[in-house]
Coordinates of all heavy atoms in Angstrom, one line a residue:
M1 N -47.2 -9.3 -33.1 CA -47.0 -10.7 -32.6 C -46.0 -10.5 -31.4 O -45.2 -9.5 -31.3 CB -46.2 -11.4 -33.6 CG -46.0 -12.9 -33.2 SD -45.8 -13.9 -34.7 CE -45.5 -15.4 -33.8
W2 N -45.9 -11.5 -30.5 CA -45.0 -11.5 -29.4 C -43.7 -12.1 -29.7 O -43.6 -13.0 -30.7 CB -45.6 -12.3 -28.2 CG -46.8 -11.7 -27.6 CD1 -48.1 -12.1 -27.9 CD2 -46.9 -10.7 -26.7 NE1 -49.0 -11.4 -27.2 CE2 -48.3 -10.5 -26.4 CE3 -45.9 -9.9 -26.0 CZ2 -48.7 -9.6 -25.5 CZ3 -46.4 -8.9 -25.1 CH2 -47.8 -8.7 -24.9
Y3 N -42.6 -11.7 -29.2 CA -41.2 -12.1 -29.4 C -40.5 -12.3 -28.1 O -40.7 -11.5 -27.1 CB -40.5 -11.2 -30.3 CG -41.1 -11.1 -31.7 CD1 -42.1 -10.1 -32.0 CD2 -40.7 -12.0 -32.7 CE1 -42.7 -10.2 -33.2 CE2 -41.3 -12.0 -33.9 CZ -42.3 -11.0 -34.2 OH -42.8 -11.0 -35.4
V4 N -39.7 -13.5 -28.0 CA -38.9 -13.7 -26.9 C -37.5 -13.2 -27.2 O -36.8 -13.4 -28.2 CB -38.8 -15.1 -26.5 CG1 -37.6 -15.4 -25.5 CG2 -40.1 -15.6 -26.1
I5 N -36.9 -12.2 -26.3 CA -35.5 -11.9 -26.5 C -34.7 -12.6 -25.3 O -35.0 -12.2 -24.1 CB -35.4 -10.3 -26.5 CG1 -36.2 -9.7 -27.5 CG2 -33.9 -9.9 -26.4 CD1 -36.3 -8.2 -27.5
Y6 N -34.0 -13.6 -25.6 CA -33.2 -14.3 -24.7 C -31.8 -14.0 -24.8 O -31.1 -14.4 -25.8 CB -33.4 -15.8 -24.9 CG -32.9 -16.7 -23.8 CD1 -33.7 -17.0 -22.7 CD2 -31.8 -17.4 -24.0 CE1 -33.2 -17.8 -21.7 CE2 -31.3 -18.3 -23.1 CZ -31.9 -18.6 -21.9 OH -31.5 -19.4 -20.9
A7 N -31.2 -13.4 -23.8 CA -29.8 -13.0 -23.8 C -28.9 -13.7 -22.8 O -29.4 -13.9 -21.6 CB -29.7 -11.5 -23.6
K8 N -27.7 -13.9 -23.1 CA -26.8 -14.6 -22.2 C -25.7 -13.5 -22.0 O -25.1 -13.1 -22.8 CB -26.1 -15.9 -22.8 CG -27.2 -16.9 -22.9 CD -26.5 -18.2 -23.5 CE -27.6 -19.3 -23.6 NZ -26.9 -20.5 -24.3
D9 N -25.4 -13.4 -20.7 CA -24.3 -12.5 -20.3 C -23.0 -13.2 -20.5 O -22.8 -14.4 -20.3 CB -24.4 -12.2 -18.8 CG -25.4 -11.1 -18.4 OD1 -26.4 -10.9 -19.3 OD2 -25.6 -10.6 -17.3
R10 N -21.9 -12.3 -20.8 CA -20.6 -12.7 -20.8 C -20.1 -12.8 -19.3 O -20.7 -12.3 -18.4 CB -19.7 -11.8 -21.7 CG -19.5 -10.4 -21.0 CD -18.5 -9.6 -21.8 NE -18.6 -8.2 -21.3 CZ -17.9 -7.8 -20.2 NH1 -17.3 -8.5 -19.4 NH2 -18.0 -6.5 -19.8
S11 N -19.1 -13.6 -19.2 CA -18.5 -13.6 -17.7 C -18.0 -12.3 -17.3 O -17.6 -11.4 -18.1 CB -17.3 -14.7 -17.7 OG -16.3 -14.3 -18.5
D12 N -18.0 -12.0 -16.1 CA -17.5 -10.8 -15.4 C -18.1 -9.5 -16.0 O -17.6 -8.6 -16.2 CB -16.0 -10.8 -15.6 CG -15.3 -11.9 -15.0 OD1 -15.7 -12.3 -13.8 OD2 -14.2 -12.4 -15.4
S13 N -19.5 -9.6 -16.3 CA -20.2 -8.4 -16.9 C -21.0 -7.7 -15.8 O -21.8 -6.8 -16.2 CB -21.1 -9.0 -18.0 OG -22.0 -9.8 -17.6
L14 N -21.0 -8.1 -14.6 CA -21.9 -7.5 -13.6 C -21.8 -5.9 -13.5 O -22.7 -5.2 -13.6 CB -21.7 -8.1 -12.2 CG -22.5 -7.4 -11.1 CD1 -24.1 -7.6 -11.4 CD2 -22.3 -8.1 -9.7
Q15 N -20.5 -5.4 -13.5 CA -20.4 -3.9 -13.4 C -20.9 -3.3 -14.7 O -21.6 -2.2 -14.5 CB -18.9 -3.5 -13.1 CG -18.7 -2.0 -12.8 CD -19.5 -1.7 -11.5 OE1 -19.5 -2.3 -10.4 NE2 -20.4 -0.6 -11.7
A16 N -20.6 -3.8 -15.8 CA -21.0 -3.2 -17.0 C -22.6 -3.2 -17.0 O -23.3 -2.2 -17.5 CB -20.5 -4.0 -18.2
R17 N -23.2 -4.4 -16.6 CA -24.6 -4.4 -16.5 C -25.1 -3.4 -15.5 O -26.2 -2.6 -15.9 CB -25.0 -5.8 -15.9 CG -26.5 -5.9 -15.7 CD -26.8 -7.4 -15.1 NE -27.0 -8.4 -16.1 CZ -28.2 -8.6 -16.7 NH1 -29.3 -7.9 -16.3 NH2 -28.4 -9.5 -17.6
L18 N -24.5 -3.1 -14.3 CA -25.0 -2.1 -13.5 C -24.9 -0.7 -14.1 O -25.8 0.1 -13.9 CB -24.3 -2.2 -12.1 CG -24.5 -3.5 -11.3 CD1 -23.6 -3.6 -10.1 CD2 -25.9 -3.6 -10.9
D19 N -23.9 -0.5 -14.8 CA -23.6 1.0 -15.3 C -24.6 1.1 -16.5 O -25.1 2.3 -16.6 CB -22.2 0.9 -15.9 CG -21.1 0.9 -14.9 OD1 -21.4 1.1 -13.6 OD2 -19.9 0.7 -15.2
A20 N -25.0 0.2 -17.2 CA -25.9 0.4 -18.3 C -27.4 0.2 -18.0 O -28.3 0.4 -18.8 CB -25.6 -0.6 -19.4
R21 N -27.7 -0.2 -16.7 CA -29.0 -0.5 -16.3 C -30.0 0.6 -16.5 O -31.0 0.4 -17.0 CB -29.0 -1.0 -14.8 CG -30.4 -1.6 -14.4 CD -30.2 -2.4 -13.1 NE -31.5 -3.0 -12.7 CZ -32.3 -2.6 -11.9 NH1 -32.1 -1.3 -11.3 NH2 -33.4 -3.3 -11.7
P22 N -29.6 1.8 -16.2 CA -30.7 2.9 -16.2 C -31.3 3.1 -17.7 O -32.4 3.1 -18.0 CB -29.9 4.2 -15.8 CG -29.0 3.7 -14.9 CD -28.5 2.3 -15.5
G23 N -30.3 3.0 -18.7 CA -30.8 3.0 -20.2 C -31.5 1.8 -20.5 O -32.6 1.9 -21.3
H24 N -31.1 0.6 -20.0 CA -31.9 -0.5 -20.3 C -33.3 -0.4 -19.9 O -34.2 -0.7 -20.4 CB -31.1 -1.7 -19.7 CG -31.8 -3.1 -19.8 ND1 -31.9 -3.8 -21.0 CD2 -32.5 -3.7 -18.9 CE1 -32.5 -5.0 -20.7 NE2 -32.9 -4.9 -19.5
L25 N -33.5 -0.1 -18.6 CA -34.8 0.0 -18.0 C -35.7 1.2 -18.6 O -36.9 0.8 -18.7 CB -34.6 0.3 -16.5 CG -34.1 -0.9 -15.6 CD1 -34.0 -0.4 -14.1 CD2 -34.9 -2.1 -15.7
A26 N -35.1 2.2 -19.1 CA -35.8 3.2 -19.7 C -36.5 2.7 -21.0 O -37.7 2.9 -21.2 CB -35.0 4.4 -20.1
R27 N -35.8 1.8 -21.8 CA -36.4 1.2 -23.0 C -37.5 0.3 -22.6 O -38.4 0.2 -23.4 CB -35.3 0.5 -23.8 CG -34.1 1.5 -24.3 CD -33.2 0.9 -25.1 NE -33.6 0.5 -26.4 CZ -33.5 -0.6 -26.8 NH1 -33.2 -1.7 -26.2 NH2 -34.0 -0.7 -28.1
L28 N -37.2 -0.6 -21.6 CA -38.3 -1.5 -21.2 C -39.5 -0.7 -20.7 O -40.7 -1.0 -21.0 CB -37.8 -2.4 -20.1 CG -36.8 -3.5 -20.5 CD1 -36.2 -4.2 -19.3 CD2 -37.4 -4.4 -21.4
N29 N -39.3 0.4 -19.9 CA -40.4 1.2 -19.5 C -41.3 1.7 -20.6 O -42.5 1.9 -20.6 CB -40.0 2.3 -18.6 CG -39.9 1.8 -17.1 OD1 -40.7 1.1 -16.6 ND2 -38.8 2.1 -16.4
N30 N -40.5 2.1 -21.7 CA -41.2 2.7 -22.8 C -42.1 1.7 -23.6 O -43.2 1.9 -23.9 CB -40.1 3.1 -23.9 CG -40.8 3.9 -25.1 OD1 -41.7 4.6 -24.9 ND2 -40.1 3.7 -26.2
L31 N -41.6 0.4 -23.6 CA -42.6 -0.6 -24.1 C -43.7 -0.8 -23.1 O -44.8 -1.1 -23.6 CB -41.7 -2.0 -24.2 CG -40.7 -2.1 -25.4 CD1 -40.0 -3.5 -25.3 CD2 -41.4 -2.0 -26.7
L32 N -43.5 -0.8 -21.9 CA -44.6 -1.1 -20.9 C -45.6 0.1 -21.0 O -46.8 -0.3 -21.1 CB -43.8 -1.0 -19.5 CG -44.9 -1.3 -18.3 CD1 -45.5 -2.7 -18.4 CD2 -44.2 -0.9 -17.0
Q33 N -45.2 1.3 -21.2 CA -46.1 2.3 -21.3 C -47.0 2.2 -22.7 O -48.1 2.7 -22.7 CB -45.4 3.7 -21.3 CG -44.8 4.1 -19.9 CD -43.9 5.3 -20.0 OE1 -43.7 5.8 -21.0 NE2 -43.5 5.6 -18.8
Q34 N -46.4 1.5 -23.7 CA -47.1 1.4 -24.9 C -47.9 0.2 -24.9 O -48.7 -0.2 -25.8 CB -46.0 1.2 -26.1 CG -45.3 2.6 -26.3 CD -44.2 2.2 -27.4 OE1 -44.3 1.3 -28.1 NE2 -43.2 3.1 -27.4
G35 N -48.0 -0.6 -23.7 CA -48.7 -1.8 -23.7 C -48.1 -3.0 -24.4 O -48.9 -3.8 -24.7
R36 N -46.9 -2.9 -24.8 CA -46.2 -3.9 -25.5 C -45.3 -4.9 -24.7 O -44.7 -5.9 -25.4 CB -45.4 -3.3 -26.7 CG -46.3 -2.5 -27.6 CD -45.5 -1.6 -28.6 NE -44.4 -2.3 -29.2 CZ -43.3 -1.8 -29.6 NH1 -43.2 -0.4 -29.5 NH2 -42.3 -2.4 -30.1
L37 N -45.2 -4.8 -23.5 CA -44.3 -5.6 -22.7 C -45.1 -6.6 -21.8 O -46.0 -6.2 -21.0 CB -43.5 -4.7 -21.7 CG -42.5 -5.5 -21.0 CD1 -41.4 -6.1 -21.8 CD2 -41.8 -4.6 -19.9
L38 N -44.9 -7.9 -22.0 CA -45.6 -8.9 -21.3 C -44.7 -9.2 -20.0 O -45.3 -9.2 -19.0 CB -45.7 -10.2 -22.1 CG -46.4 -11.3 -21.5 CD1 -47.8 -11.0 -21.1 CD2 -46.3 -12.7 -22.4
L39 N -43.4 -9.4 -20.1 CA -42.5 -9.5 -19.0 C -41.1 -9.3 -19.3 O -40.8 -9.4 -20.6 CB -42.7 -11.0 -18.3 CG -42.4 -12.1 -19.2 CD1 -40.8 -12.5 -18.9 CD2 -43.2 -13.3 -18.9
A40 N -40.4 -8.9 -18.3 CA -38.9 -8.8 -18.5 C -38.1 -8.9 -17.2 O -38.7 -8.6 -16.2 CB -38.7 -7.4 -19.2
G41 N -36.9 -9.4 -17.3 CA -36.1 -9.5 -16.0 C -34.9 -10.2 -16.2 O -34.7 -10.8 -17.2
P42 N -34.0 -10.1 -15.4 CA -32.7 -10.7 -15.4 C -32.8 -12.2 -14.9 O -33.8 -12.6 -14.2 CB -31.9 -9.9 -14.4 CG -32.8 -9.5 -13.4 CD -34.1 -9.2 -14.1
R43 N -31.9 -13.1 -15.3 CA -31.8 -14.3 -14.9 C -30.6 -14.5 -13.9 O -29.4 -14.5 -14.4 CB -31.6 -15.2 -16.1 CG -32.9 -15.2 -17.1 CD -32.8 -16.0 -18.3 NE -31.6 -15.8 -19.1 CZ -30.7 -16.7 -19.3 NH1 -30.6 -17.7 -18.7 NH2 -29.6 -16.2 -20.1
P44 N -30.8 -14.6 -12.6 CA -29.7 -14.7 -11.7 C -28.8 -15.9 -11.9 O -29.2 -16.9 -12.4 CB -30.4 -14.8 -10.3 CG -31.7 -14.3 -10.5 CD -32.1 -14.6 -11.9
A45 N -27.5 -15.7 -11.6 CA -26.4 -16.8 -11.9 C -26.7 -17.9 -10.9 O -26.1 -18.9 -11.0 CB -25.1 -16.1 -11.9
I46 N -27.2 -17.5 -9.7 CA -27.5 -18.5 -8.7 C -29.0 -18.5 -8.2 O -29.6 -17.6 -8.6 CB -26.5 -18.3 -7.5 CG1 -26.8 -16.9 -6.8 CG2 -25.0 -18.3 -7.8 CD1 -26.1 -16.7 -5.5
D47 N -29.4 -19.5 -7.5 CA -30.7 -19.5 -7.1 C -31.0 -18.6 -5.9 O -31.1 -19.0 -4.8 CB -31.1 -21.0 -6.7 CG -32.5 -21.3 -6.4 OD1 -33.4 -20.4 -6.7 OD2 -32.9 -22.4 -6.0
A48 N -31.1 -17.4 -6.3 CA -31.3 -16.4 -5.2 C -32.0 -15.2 -5.9 O -31.7 -14.8 -6.9 CB -30.1 -15.9 -4.5
E49 N -32.9 -14.5 -5.2 CA -33.5 -13.3 -5.6 C -32.6 -12.2 -5.8 O -32.6 -11.4 -6.8 CB -34.6 -12.8 -4.6 CG -35.4 -11.6 -5.0 CD -36.5 -11.9 -6.0 OE1 -36.9 -13.0 -6.2 OE2 -36.8 -10.9 -6.8
D50 N -31.5 -12.0 -5.0 CA -30.4 -11.2 -5.1 C -29.2 -12.0 -5.1 O -28.7 -12.4 -4.1 CB -30.4 -10.1 -3.9 CG -29.2 -9.1 -4.0 OD1 -28.4 -9.2 -5.0 OD2 -29.1 -8.4 -3.2
P51 N -28.7 -12.2 -6.4 CA -27.4 -13.0 -6.5 C -26.1 -12.3 -6.0 O -25.1 -13.0 -6.0 CB -27.4 -13.3 -8.0 CG -28.0 -12.0 -8.5 CD -29.0 -11.6 -7.6
G52 N -26.2 -11.1 -5.6 CA -24.9 -10.4 -5.1 C -23.9 -10.5 -6.2 O -24.0 -10.2 -7.3
P53 N -22.6 -10.7 -5.7 CA -21.4 -10.6 -6.7 C -21.6 -11.8 -7.7 O -20.8 -11.7 -8.7 CB -20.2 -10.8 -5.7 CG -20.7 -11.3 -4.6 CD -22.2 -10.9 -4.4
A54 N -22.3 -12.7 -7.5 CA -22.4 -13.9 -8.6 C -23.1 -13.3 -9.9 O -22.8 -13.8 -10.9 CB -23.3 -15.0 -8.0
G55 N -23.8 -12.2 -9.7 CA -24.4 -11.5 -10.8 C -25.4 -12.3 -11.5 O -26.3 -13.1 -10.9
F56 N -25.6 -12.1 -12.9 CA -26.5 -12.7 -13.6 C -26.1 -13.4 -14.9 O -24.9 -13.2 -15.3 CB -27.5 -11.6 -14.1 CG -28.1 -10.7 -13.1 CD1 -27.5 -9.6 -12.5 CD2 -29.3 -11.1 -12.4 CE1 -28.0 -9.0 -11.3 CE2 -29.8 -10.4 -11.3 CZ -29.2 -9.5 -10.9
Q57 N -26.9 -14.4 -15.3 CA -26.4 -15.2 -16.4 C -27.0 -14.7 -17.7 O -26.7 -15.1 -18.8 CB -26.8 -16.7 -16.2 CG -28.3 -17.0 -16.0 CD -28.6 -18.4 -15.8 OE1 -27.9 -19.2 -16.5 NE2 -29.3 -18.8 -14.7
G58 N -28.0 -13.7 -17.5 CA -28.7 -13.2 -18.7 C -29.9 -12.4 -18.4 O -30.2 -12.2 -17.3
S59 N -30.7 -12.2 -19.6 CA -32.0 -11.5 -19.5 C -33.1 -12.3 -20.3 O -32.7 -12.9 -21.2 CB -31.9 -10.0 -19.9 OG -30.9 -9.3 -19.2
L60 N -34.3 -12.0 -19.9 CA -35.4 -12.5 -20.7 C -36.4 -11.3 -20.9 O -36.8 -10.7 -19.9 CB -36.1 -13.7 -20.1 CG -37.5 -14.1 -20.7 CD1 -37.1 -14.9 -22.1 CD2 -38.1 -15.1 -19.8
V61 N -36.8 -11.0 -22.2 CA -37.8 -10.0 -22.4 C -38.9 -10.7 -23.4 O -38.5 -11.4 -24.4 CB -37.3 -8.9 -23.2 CG1 -38.3 -7.8 -23.5 CG2 -36.2 -8.2 -22.3
V62 N -40.1 -10.5 -23.1 CA -41.2 -10.9 -24.0 C -42.1 -9.7 -24.3 O -42.6 -9.1 -23.4 CB -42.2 -12.0 -23.3 CG1 -43.2 -12.4 -24.3 CG2 -41.3 -13.2 -23.0
A63 N -42.0 -9.3 -25.5 CA -42.7 -8.0 -26.0 C -43.2 -8.1 -27.4 O -42.9 -9.1 -28.1 CB -41.7 -6.9 -25.9
Q64 N -44.1 -7.3 -27.7 CA -44.7 -7.2 -29.0 C -44.0 -6.2 -29.9 O -43.7 -5.2 -29.4 CB -46.2 -6.7 -28.9 CG -47.2 -7.7 -28.3 CD -48.5 -7.0 -28.4 OE1 -48.7 -5.8 -28.0 NE2 -49.7 -7.9 -28.7
F65 N -43.8 -6.7 -31.2 CA -43.2 -6.0 -32.2 C -44.0 -6.3 -33.5 O -44.7 -7.2 -33.5 CB -41.8 -6.3 -32.4 CG -40.9 -6.0 -31.1 CD1 -40.6 -6.9 -30.2 CD2 -40.3 -4.7 -31.1 CE1 -39.9 -6.6 -29.0 CE2 -39.6 -4.3 -29.9 CZ -39.3 -5.2 -28.9
D66 N -43.8 -5.5 -34.5 CA -44.5 -5.6 -35.8 C -43.9 -6.7 -36.6 O -44.6 -7.3 -37.4 CB -44.5 -4.3 -36.6 CG -45.3 -3.3 -36.0 OD1 -46.3 -3.6 -35.3 OD2 -45.0 -2.0 -36.2
S67 N -42.6 -7.2 -36.3 CA -42.0 -8.1 -37.0 C -40.8 -8.7 -36.4 O -40.3 -8.0 -35.4 CB -41.6 -7.6 -38.4 OG -40.5 -6.7 -38.3
L68 N -40.4 -9.9 -36.8 CA -39.0 -10.5 -36.2 C -38.0 -9.5 -36.4 O -37.2 -9.3 -35.5 CB -38.8 -11.7 -36.8 CG -37.6 -12.5 -36.3 CD1 -37.7 -12.8 -34.9 CD2 -37.5 -13.9 -37.2
E69 N -37.8 -8.9 -37.6 CA -36.9 -7.9 -37.8 C -36.8 -6.7 -36.9 O -35.9 -6.3 -36.4 CB -36.9 -7.5 -39.2 CG -35.9 -6.4 -39.6 CD -34.3 -7.0 -39.6 OE1 -34.2 -8.2 -39.6 OE2 -33.4 -6.3 -39.4
D70 N -38.1 -6.2 -36.6 CA -38.3 -5.1 -35.8 C -37.8 -5.5 -34.2 O -37.1 -4.7 -33.5 CB -39.7 -4.6 -35.6 CG -40.1 -3.8 -36.8 OD1 -39.1 -3.3 -37.5 OD2 -41.3 -3.5 -36.9
A71 N -38.1 -6.8 -34.0 CA -37.7 -7.2 -32.6 C -36.2 -7.4 -32.5 O -35.6 -7.0 -31.5 CB -38.4 -8.6 -32.2
R72 N -35.6 -7.9 -33.5 CA -34.1 -8.0 -33.6 C -33.4 -6.6 -33.6 O -32.4 -6.4 -32.8 CB -33.6 -8.7 -34.8 CG -34.0 -10.2 -34.8 CD -33.4 -10.9 -35.9 NE -33.6 -12.3 -35.8 CZ -33.8 -13.3 -36.7 NH1 -34.1 -12.7 -38.0 NH2 -34.0 -14.4 -36.5
L73 N -33.9 -5.7 -34.2 CA -33.4 -4.3 -34.2 C -33.5 -3.7 -32.8 O -32.6 -2.9 -32.4 CB -34.1 -3.4 -35.3 CG -33.8 -3.7 -36.7 CD1 -34.7 -3.0 -37.8 CD2 -32.4 -3.5 -37.1
W74 N -34.6 -3.8 -32.2 CA -34.8 -3.3 -30.9 C -33.8 -4.0 -30.0 O -33.1 -3.4 -29.1 CB -36.3 -3.7 -30.3 CG -36.5 -2.9 -29.0 CD1 -37.0 -1.6 -28.9 CD2 -36.3 -3.5 -27.8 NE1 -37.2 -1.3 -27.5 CE2 -36.8 -2.4 -26.8 CE3 -35.9 -4.7 -27.3 CZ2 -36.6 -2.7 -25.4 CZ3 -35.8 -5.0 -25.9 CH2 -36.2 -4.0 -25.0
A75 N -33.7 -5.3 -30.1 CA -32.7 -6.0 -29.1 C -31.3 -5.6 -29.5 O -30.5 -5.4 -28.4 CB -32.9 -7.5 -29.3
D76 N -30.9 -5.4 -30.6 CA -29.6 -5.0 -31.0 C -29.2 -3.6 -30.5 O -28.1 -3.3 -30.3 CB -29.3 -4.9 -32.5 CG -29.4 -6.4 -33.0 OD1 -29.1 -7.4 -32.2 OD2 -29.5 -6.6 -34.3
A77 N -30.2 -2.7 -30.3 CA -30.0 -1.4 -29.8 C -30.0 -1.3 -28.3 O -29.9 -0.1 -27.7 CB -31.1 -0.5 -30.4
D78 N -30.1 -2.4 -27.6 CA -30.1 -2.4 -26.1 C -28.8 -1.8 -25.6 O -27.7 -2.2 -26.1 CB -30.4 -3.7 -25.6 CG -30.9 -3.7 -24.1 OD1 -29.9 -3.5 -23.4 OD2 -31.9 -3.8 -23.9
P79 N -28.8 -0.9 -24.4 CA -27.6 -0.5 -23.8 C -26.7 -1.7 -23.3 O -25.5 -1.5 -23.3 CB -28.2 0.4 -22.6 CG -29.5 0.9 -23.2 CD -30.1 -0.3 -24.0
Y80 N -27.4 -2.8 -23.0 CA -26.6 -3.9 -22.5 C -25.7 -4.4 -23.6 O -24.6 -4.8 -23.5 CB -27.4 -5.0 -21.9 CG -27.9 -4.7 -20.5 CD1 -28.8 -5.6 -20.0 CD2 -27.5 -3.7 -19.9 CE1 -29.4 -5.4 -18.7 CE2 -28.0 -3.3 -18.6 CZ -28.9 -4.3 -18.0 OH -29.4 -4.1 -16.7
V81 N -26.2 -4.4 -24.9 CA -25.4 -4.8 -26.0 C -24.3 -3.8 -26.3 O -23.1 -4.2 -26.4 CB -26.2 -4.9 -27.3 CG1 -25.5 -5.2 -28.6 CG2 -27.3 -6.0 -27.1
A82 N -24.5 -2.5 -26.1 CA -23.5 -1.5 -26.4 C -22.4 -1.6 -25.4 O -21.3 -1.3 -25.6 CB -24.1 -0.2 -26.4
A83 N -22.9 -2.0 -24.1 CA -21.9 -2.0 -23.0 C -21.1 -3.3 -22.9 O -20.3 -3.5 -22.1 CB -22.6 -1.8 -21.7
G84 N -21.4 -4.3 -23.9 CA -20.8 -5.5 -23.8 C -21.2 -6.5 -22.8 O -20.5 -7.4 -22.4
V85 N -22.4 -6.3 -22.2 CA -22.9 -7.2 -21.2 C -23.2 -8.6 -21.7 O -22.8 -9.6 -21.2 CB -24.1 -6.6 -20.6 CG1 -24.8 -7.7 -19.5 CG2 -23.8 -5.3 -19.8
Y86 N -23.8 -8.6 -22.9 CA -24.4 -9.9 -23.5 C -23.2 -10.5 -24.2 O -22.6 -9.9 -25.1 CB -25.5 -9.6 -24.4 CG -26.7 -9.1 -23.5 CD1 -27.7 -8.3 -24.1 CD2 -27.0 -9.5 -22.2 CE1 -28.8 -7.9 -23.5 CE2 -28.2 -9.2 -21.6 CZ -29.1 -8.4 -22.3 OH -30.2 -7.9 -21.6
E87 N -23.1 -11.8 -24.2 CA -22.3 -12.6 -25.1 C -23.2 -13.0 -26.3 O -22.5 -13.2 -27.4 CB -22.0 -13.9 -24.3 CG -21.2 -14.9 -25.0 CD -21.0 -16.1 -24.0 OE1 -20.2 -15.9 -23.1 OE2 -21.6 -17.2 -24.2
S88 N -24.4 -13.3 -26.1 CA -25.3 -13.6 -27.2 C -26.7 -13.2 -27.0 O -27.1 -13.1 -25.9 CB -25.2 -15.1 -27.5 OG -25.8 -15.8 -26.4
V89 N -27.4 -12.9 -28.0 CA -28.9 -12.6 -28.0 C -29.6 -13.4 -29.0 O -29.2 -13.3 -30.2 CB -29.1 -11.1 -28.1 CG1 -30.6 -10.7 -28.1 CG2 -28.3 -10.2 -27.1
E90 N -30.6 -14.0 -28.5 CA -31.4 -14.8 -29.5 C -32.9 -14.2 -29.5 O -33.5 -13.9 -28.4 CB -31.6 -16.3 -28.9 CG -32.5 -17.1 -29.8 CD -32.5 -18.6 -29.3 OE1 -32.0 -18.8 -28.3 OE2 -33.1 -19.4 -30.0
V91 N -33.4 -14.0 -30.6 CA -34.9 -13.4 -30.8 C -35.7 -14.3 -31.5 O -35.4 -14.7 -32.6 CB -34.8 -12.1 -31.5 CG1 -36.2 -11.4 -31.6 CG2 -33.8 -11.1 -30.8
T92 N -36.8 -14.8 -30.9 CA -37.7 -15.8 -31.6 C -39.1 -15.4 -31.4 O -39.5 -14.7 -30.4 CB -37.5 -17.1 -31.0 OG1 -37.8 -17.2 -29.6 CG2 -36.0 -17.7 -31.2
P93 N -39.9 -15.8 -32.4 CA -41.4 -15.5 -32.3 C -41.9 -16.3 -31.0 O -41.4 -17.3 -30.6 CB -42.0 -16.1 -33.4 CG -40.9 -16.1 -34.5 CD -39.6 -16.4 -33.7
F94 N -43.0 -15.7 -30.5 CA -43.6 -16.5 -29.2 C -45.1 -16.3 -29.4 O -45.7 -15.3 -29.6 CB -43.2 -15.7 -28.0 CG -43.8 -16.2 -26.7 CD1 -43.3 -17.4 -26.1 CD2 -44.7 -15.5 -26.1 CE1 -43.9 -17.8 -24.9 CE2 -45.3 -15.9 -24.8 CZ -44.9 -17.0 -24.3
K95 N -45.7 -17.5 -29.3 CA -47.2 -17.5 -29.3 C -47.7 -17.6 -27.8 O -47.6 -18.5 -27.1 CB -47.7 -18.8 -30.0 CG -49.2 -18.8 -30.1 CD -49.6 -19.9 -31.1 CE -51.1 -20.1 -31.1 NZ -51.9 -19.0 -31.4
R96 N -48.4 -16.4 -27.6 CA -48.9 -16.4 -26.2 C -50.3 -17.1 -26.1 O -51.2 -16.9 -26.9 CB -49.2 -15.0 -25.8 CG -49.7 -14.7 -24.5 CD -50.0 -13.2 -24.1 NE -50.6 -13.1 -22.9 CZ -50.9 -11.9 -22.3 NH1 -50.6 -10.8 -23.0 NH2 -51.5 -11.8 -21.0
V97 N -50.4 -18.0 -25.1 CA -51.6 -18.8 -24.8 C -52.3 -18.5 -23.6 O -53.4 -18.2 -23.5 CB -51.3 -20.3 -25.0 CG1 -52.5 -21.1 -24.7 CG2 -50.7 -20.7 -26.3
M98 N -51.4 -18.4 -22.5 CA -52.0 -18.0 -21.2 C -51.0 -17.0 -20.5 O -49.8 -17.2 -20.8 CB -52.1 -19.2 -20.3 CG -53.2 -20.1 -20.7 SD -53.4 -21.4 -19.5 CE -53.2 -22.9 -20.4
P99 N -51.4 -16.2 -19.7 CA -52.8 -15.9 -19.5 C -53.3 -15.0 -20.7 O -52.6 -14.4 -21.3 CB -52.8 -15.0 -18.2 CG -51.4 -14.4 -18.2 CD -50.5 -15.3 -18.8
V100 N -54.8 -15.0 -20.7 CA -55.3 -14.3 -21.9 C -55.8 -13.0 -21.4 O -56.0 -12.7 -20.3 CB -56.4 -15.1 -22.5 CG1 -55.7 -16.2 -23.4 CG2 -57.4 -15.6 -21.7

């Protein structure tokens, strides 16, 4: 089943995000190579492709896992969590309708 991982950054987390980014991307690439990643990306803090020093307000990942518990465990092990980038992380089931 698909799951949404919706994370909110803590304030002043841009440098921690940049430092932890390689490990974060490696995990996402692993899901992509397994065919389990629908989409992933940061949520800019301002209405701009490159928010510069404004940074990001969080992240969104939609990926397949065997269970909600597996999705939560995967989200909890993210390098951004370990680096203190995220203030909160919500994991919920997602029913994909389009595109098919």
Side-chain angles (χ1 to χ4, degrees):
M1 183 161 181
W2 294 100
Y3 295 89
V4 170
I5 300 168
Y6 186 85
K8 293 182 182 178
D9 285 14
R10 66 172 170 78
S11 60
D12 299 319
S13 62
L14 181 58
Q15 190 58 54
R17 176 182 270 272
L18 295 173
D19 293 344
R21 189 168 188 260
H24 174 77
L25 291 179
R27 296 179 80 237
L28 290 171
N29 277 317
N30 188 34
L31 287 178
L32 183 63
Q33 291 170 358
Q34 295 173 21
R36 296 172 43 208
L37 183 65
L38 181 61
L39 63 91
R43 299 180 302 112
I46 60 173
D47 189 13
E49 184 74 23
D50 179 359
F56 299 91
Q57 60 181 316
S59 302
L60 174 70
V61 175
V62 180
Q64 283 182 323
F65 294 93
D66 291 333
S67 68
L68 179 58
E69 181 64 21
D70 286 346
R72 285 184 176 143
L73 289 170
W74 188 91
D76 288 345
D78 194 284
Y80 284 173
V81 171
V85 172
Y86 294 149
E87 175 179 291
S88 65
V89 178
E90 181 180 5
V91 182
T92 60
F94 178 76
K95 182 170 172 56
R96 180 180 177 181
V97 175
M98 287 189 240
V100 289

